[in-house]
Amino acid sequence: MALVDERPVRSGDVSNFPQILVKWSSNVENLKPDIPTAVLLHGILGGRKNWGSFARRLAQEFPMWQFLLVDLRCHGDSTSIKKRGPNTVASAALDVLKLVGQLRVTPRILVGHSFGGKVALSMVEQAAKPLARPVKVWVLDATPGKVHPGGDGEDHPGELIAFLSTLPKQVASKRDVVSALIKEGFSKDVAQWVVTNLRPTDSSSSSFSWVFDLKGIAEMYKSYEETNLWKFVEDVPRGVHINFLKAERSLHRWALGDLQRIHAAEEQAADEGGGVQMHVLEDAGHWVHADNPDGLFRILSPSFQ
């Protein structure tokens, strides 16, 4: 078995999204249902490969674990799969629940960044099975309720999605797209990250096309802004442990009221057999696994020990 085996698993079923399987058998028929499994979920306009380097590091440090990285609906290789129902946080969560059920694995840790954080929360809210108890949920730089974008001069995902929708579906140059984004006022880092979603249109063409369904992503982001999971967080079932991580230089504003509610939920959960905990990742913006991977690794590591 290779330390890292990247083998997409495909089928016609909507729930079986392509994925990277880290520290897993190269043969999908030989998956180990009894090995501790962690699922890592990306944010809006991201993809499973956002977690690639970090997941490899986890796999090297914790060889007894399996790590499942998934392209959420409308993103990456999952764009071509026919979707069911509206493009929402809840439907994305249900997709992943169906996937782990089909793969016959029982995740004990869910790690979600931004939009993926709310997807992870929605997974444990929607179904006790096929999730284990206890299960640990990591919500990275996202709150359970209303989304508070950053201040003036900072990148707003909604505005980014709106601007991308004005660009042609095929472009001649990644550099031109980066220039257009910077000219529009988006940061260079965000511009360079966005164009990782461009792929050559075909082997004989010099043009590039997007690997996401932007209309579906716009619907998903709207759902992300509106989805409210406070009720679940403030009444955490026994055996569920929710960890919120705030980036010190977060793209999103963490309202004082949100922080107070999380701390209040910490006390209540402790009394009722569940768990809620707040963490702060220093020297990091919203892109926590890129800005401070060492700090993030230190904070997450105890969950795997």
Side-chain angles (χ1 to χ4, degrees), residues 234-266:
E234 293 174 336
D235 189 18
V236 178
R238 181 177 297 273
V240 176
H241 301 267
I242 302 174
N243 295 272
F244 291 95
L245 183 141
K246 174 188 179 297
E248 186 179 37
R249 297 181 279 104
S250 176
L251 171 70
H252 302 297
R253 291 177 179 171
W254 283 69
L256 179 59
D258 289 345
L259 296 173
Q260 291 172 336
R261 288 182 77 173
I262 290 172
H263 288 306
E266 282 184 286

Side-chain angles (χ1 to χ4, degrees), residues 1 5 7 21 23-28 30-32 66:
M1 189 191 312
D5 174 33
R7 179 187 175 94
L21 304 177
K23 191 57 179 170
W24 223 333
S25 167
S26 62
N27 188 339
V28 71
N30 293 332
L31 298 182
K32 308 287 187 185
Q66 303 178 131

